[in-house]
Amino acid sequence: MSAVQTPSAGRATLLVTSRGRSIMRATHPAPGPTPPADSPTARLALAPRRIDRAVLDGGWWPRSRDSSAEVPALVAALTQRYGPIRHVLLNSATWADRPRRLTAGTRVVRMGWFISQDPALATAITTGGDQLDLLVVPPDTSPEAAERAMAAAADPDVFTSAAGLLTTPAATETAGAGPEPAGVWENEGGRVFGGPRVPEPSGLPAVGAVAPR
């Protein structure tokens, strides 16, 4: 019995026999890159605009040290703001896993792992060659301290390094001090700090020299 295959939409193929009968047969499409299941949005604070003299472009507060679970959401949020990301650099000693590549949406991002990379710093490079430097707030930091550290990292007028922002008493508080304040996260996919500047919290170090980017 001869048959003619006619592709149909979805995951099935329509077989039409010589006697006019139609039979549906399930097919399996070619695999493609897929984002991790149950991947939450990134807790991210970004500067309102990029300034060359700024030390940092924002702050990132991952929920764990599992880069395979955390980096795709970060890349997705940065892509919305700055365009496609091709490379992410992290410290090799502070993360539980060190994949060479990760899938973020429909793109594959290269990962770079360096012991010399500041553990408090994540670096993302766009396909256009722009370098984005982000403070990495430890996952077990209390919500109040994390909010304060990320707000400072997203402020172009704060010239403290990523490591310096995490050595303040406020930034080293661990979780357990209380529930997350209501209204802290306007959008966990990337909160932008704009509007009038506010004085630095007393727990932050004094503004120092501009570190090289």
Side-chain angles (χ1 to χ4, degrees):
M1 179 178 66
S2 62
V4 178
Q5 284 193 352
T6 305
S8 64
R11 298 182 178 179
T13 298
L14 177 64
L15 300 181
V16 182
T17 70
S18 58
R19 296 185 179 181
R21 295 181 61 188
S22 299
I23 303 173
M24 298 300 295
R25 186 179 70 184
T27 59
H28 302 281
T34 56
D38 302 325
S39 179
T41 54
R43 299 186 295 192
L44 185 66
L46 297 174
R49 59 192 180 282
R50 294 208 70 208
I51 300 178
D52 289 340
R53 65 180 176 83
V55 175
L56 298 168
D57 296 292
W60 174 41
W61 185 22
R63 294 172 173 82
S64 70
R65 288 294 186 180
D66 181 355
S67 67
S68 297
E70 302 292 341
V71 171
L74 170 66
V75 170
L78 293 177
T79 297
Q80 290 181 0
R81 180 76 179 275
Y82 302 107
I85 303 297
R86 63 176 173 84
H87 207 166
V88 174
L89 311 178
L90 294 170
N91 176 269
S92 60
T94 54
W95 292 85
D97 60 334
R98 293 183 291 277
R100 297 182 62 182
R101 289 176 173 80
L102 285 175
T103 299
T106 59
R107 298 183 62 87
V108 176
V109 179
R110 293 175 56 197
M111 299 295 298
W113 300 97
F114 302 95
I115 193 65
S116 58
Q117 174 89 355
D118 186 343
L121 187 69
T123 301
I125 301 175
T126 70
T127 55
D130 292 327
Q131 177 175 319
L132 307 170
D133 292 321
L134 304 172
L135 168 72
V136 180
V137 180
D140 61 351
T141 304
S142 70
E144 294 84 358
E147 167 75 1
R148 184 175 298 184
M150 289 198 298
D155 188 339
D157 292 331
V158 174
F159 301 140
T160 307
S161 68
L165 291 177
L166 294 184
T167 57
T168 65
T172 54
E173 295 174 7
T174 56
E180 183 170 351
V184 164
W185 301 110
E186 296 174 359
N187 177 1
E188 287 192 333
R191 181 180 175 191
V192 176
F193 287 82
R197 300 290 185 191
V198 296
E200 291 184 16
S202 58
L204 290 174
V207 173
V210 178
R213 292 178 64 86

